[in-house]
């Protein structure tokens, strides 16, 4: 695998974007964990994966579109941070049209172990790091991504049309005053 060196501005921008994504993913996981805790439930490994899968798919699809590249693989990790915390991380690998490769990675802030099931906790304590290969985004995620993109486009068109109507009405008011 070949990696191309980025200049410092590109690297800083990439790191900032990855840090923002990691914070958002961590926030969503915290929200999910809080909801489960409120009803007296803990997150199982399977539930954690199910919660992350659509989010990760959307990140992959957005990266493919915005950078005009192709997803070639990735990894999702859950690691024991210390005696009372764990964190989640991902690494995505993409190939550009010119054959160069780039990586998109992020990691959550430490999350409390008391929010996961006993079985999940034991497995994590035994293994220290759980790694999962990430395949292509699901067809369902692809459809949702397209729908979201179309909704965003429609919303932008509506907002643009509203602004144009507002400008036209303002012009009419100005003309009336003459």
């Amino acid at each position: 695998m070949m990696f191309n060196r980025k200049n410092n501005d590109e690297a800083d921008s990439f790191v900032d974007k990855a840090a923002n994504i990691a914070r958002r993913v961590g926030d969503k996981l915290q929200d999910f964990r809080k909801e489960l805790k409120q009803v007296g439930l803990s997150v199982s490994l399977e539930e954690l994966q199910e919660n992350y899968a659509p989010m990760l798919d959307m990140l992959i699809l957005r990266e493919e579109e915005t950078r005009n590249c192709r997803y070639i693989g990735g990894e999702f990790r859950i690691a024991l941070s210390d005696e009372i915390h764990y964190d989640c991380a991902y690494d995505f690998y993409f190939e550009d049209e010119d054959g160069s490769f780039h990586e998109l990675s992020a990691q959550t802030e430490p999350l409390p172990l008391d929010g996961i099931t006993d079985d999940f906790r034991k497995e994590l304590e035994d293994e220290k790091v759980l790694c999962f290969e990430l395949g292509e985004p699901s067809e369902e995620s692809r459809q949702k991504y397209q729908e979201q993109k179309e909704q965003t486009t429609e919303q932008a068109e509506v907002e643009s049309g509203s602004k144009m109507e507002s400008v036209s009405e303002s012009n009419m008011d100005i003309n009336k005053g003459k």
Side-chain angles (χ1 to χ4, degrees):
M1 179 178 282
M2 180 180 85
F3 289 91
N4 292 329
R5 182 174 290 272
K6 297 181 178 199
N7 67 39
N8 286 339
D9 291 339
E10 288 176 330
D12 290 345
S13 174
F14 179 77
V15 169
D16 290 343
K17 286 178 185 176
N20 286 333
I21 291 169
R23 276 192 291 280
R24 287 196 316 262
V25 169
D27 290 346
K28 287 187 185 266
L29 183 61
Q30 283 283 39
D31 293 344
F32 177 64
R33 192 188 66 72
K34 285 177 188 173
E35 288 174 26
L36 288 173
K37 198 160 187 112
Q38 284 176 354
V39 294
L41 298 174
S42 294
V43 179
S44 70
L45 175 58
E46 293 77 21
E47 290 167 328
L48 183 80
Q49 290 171 316
E50 287 171 15
N51 188 53
Y52 263 102
M55 247 185 314
L56 296 175
D57 282 353
M58 293 300 173
L59 290 170
I60 291 168
L61 294 167
R62 187 180 73 207
E63 187 73 6
E64 282 183 325
E65 182 175 16
T66 58
R67 296 203 47 177
N68 197 24
C69 58
R70 183 177 60 90
Y71 175 71
I72 56 173
E75 180 179 80
F76 179 69
R77 289 179 312 284
I78 305 167
L80 194 61
S81 302
D82 56 40
E83 298 83 31
I84 59 171
H85 296 100
Y86 71 100
D87 60 65
C88 300
Y90 64 82
D91 297 310
F92 300 146
Y93 303 98
F94 298 89
E95 182 176 15
D96 296 329
E97 286 181 343
D98 65 0
S100 62
F101 295 90
H102 74 271
E103 176 181 2
L104 178 63
S105 300
Q107 181 173 330
T108 64
E109 296 292 321
L111 302 164
L113 284 171
D114 67 357
I116 63 177
T117 62
D118 291 339
D119 290 343
F120 181 6
R121 184 178 185 147
K122 178 160 179 22
E123 185 175 355
L124 190 54
E125 287 172 341
D126 290 348
E127 298 293 324
K128 307 296 184 232
V129 177
L130 305 174
C131 292
F132 305 91
E133 186 176 330
L134 296 173
E136 291 284 326
S138 70
E139 191 56 40
E140 182 181 343
S141 291
R142 288 183 186 283
Q143 289 173 348
K144 283 184 181 178
Y145 183 78
Q146 265 317 113
E147 290 169 7
Q148 287 177 357
K149 200 168 98 175
E150 289 168 8
Q151 287 174 349
T152 302
T153 302
E154 288 172 7
Q155 184 178 0
E157 289 171 355
V158 167
E159 288 174 3
S160 176
S162 297
K163 288 177 185 174
M164 292 300 286
E165 288 174 14
S166 175
V167 168
S168 296
E169 289 171 8
S170 296
N171 287 341
M172 290 169 57
D173 291 342
I174 290 170
N175 292 333
K176 285 182 186 176
K178 289 185 176 180

